[in-house]
Amino acid sequence: MVEHGNYMEDENWLNGFALLNDRGLTFDLHVNPHQLIQFSKVAEAYPNVNVVICHMGMMGDSSLVDTWRDGMKALAKFPQISVKLSSFDTNVPNWGKDAKARQEIRSYTSEVIELFGADRCMFASNFPVDKHNGHTMAELYASYREFVSHLDIKSQRDLFYGTAARVYKFDL
């Protein structure tokens, strides 16, 4: 249980985080935009722990975009950090129904892929939340394919399978 907002500086939390590498585990980072830069200190101190930023860093509303962008740029410098491209409605509400919102989330998706590279990004769903927001799995992945249709086949393979398989150590 997180009892305070600065848990990334808590000695017990950091000791537990350090154990992830020894056990071959990956840490899924689910934070708010203002915590992204704070996490860069953790990433620097523990370069052998693989980390996946959940939901594109949870930018939230448009007032937080600059904070989100600064944090994502800071974390892109660390090769052990990857990003789940998911939960688009959290980042840009109504992206599936509104053309302007759709273009906005597409732009943010492209920005993250450019920052981290396709080999450090992976598409993911946020079911059942995505379903609650009115999306089917088929619609989500059709949109994802559309958003990256201009990329080469290797990049697309990384985004839809390769990165997740490597980071989470699975093979289908």
Side-chain angles (χ1 to χ4, degrees), residues 150-161:
H150 64 285
L151 297 178
D152 62 80
I153 295 299
K154 182 191 179 315
S155 295
Q156 290 183 42
R157 181 172 166 74
D158 284 342
L159 290 164
F160 287 100
Y161 170 76

Side-chain angles (χ1 to χ4, degrees), residues 106-120:
R106 183 179 188 153
S107 175
Y108 292 137
T109 302
S110 294
E111 184 175 351
V112 171
I113 293 169
E114 286 177 32
L115 277 172
F116 287 84
D119 63 330
R120 291 172 52 208

Side-chain angles (χ1 to χ4, degrees), residues 55 83-88 95-96 102 109 121-127 130-131 134-149 156-162 164 170 172:
H55 306 320
V83 182
K84 281 184 193 173
L85 306 170
S86 60
S87 195
F88 285 3
W95 73 273
R102 183 178 184 83
T109 302
C121 293
M122 62 189 91
F123 281 113
S125 75
N126 190 31
F127 263 73
D130 287 329
K131 184 176 180 178
H135 305 287
T136 67
M137 192 70 77
E139 291 168 342
L140 279 178
Y141 279 85
S143 293
Y144 296 166
R145 284 190 298 275
E146 174 195 328
F147 289 0
V148 298
S149 62
Q156 290 183 42
R157 181 172 166 74
D158 284 342
L159 290 164
F160 287 100
Y161 170 76
F170 68 84
L172 299 176

Side-chain angles (χ1 to χ4, degrees), residues 18-79:
L19 294 174
L20 294 172
N21 184 57
D22 297 342
R23 290 167 173 74
L25 298 172
T26 298
F27 183 74
D28 277 27
L29 178 66
H30 193 157
V31 294
N32 294 307
H34 71 279
Q35 295 170 301
L36 292 168
I37 286 182
Q38 183 183 10
F39 189 78
S40 67
K41 294 174 187 171
V42 177
E44 186 172 20
Y46 300 93
N48 295 322
V49 177
N50 286 322
V51 175
V52 178
I53 300 169
C54 294
H55 306 320
M56 289 191 347
M58 298 289 293
M59 80 181 67
D61 63 57
S62 59
S63 70
L64 300 172
V65 170
D66 290 338
T67 302
W68 167 82
R69 186 171 281 129
D70 291 344
M72 294 299 278
K73 285 178 182 175
L75 294 179
K77 297 173 187 171
F78 298 98

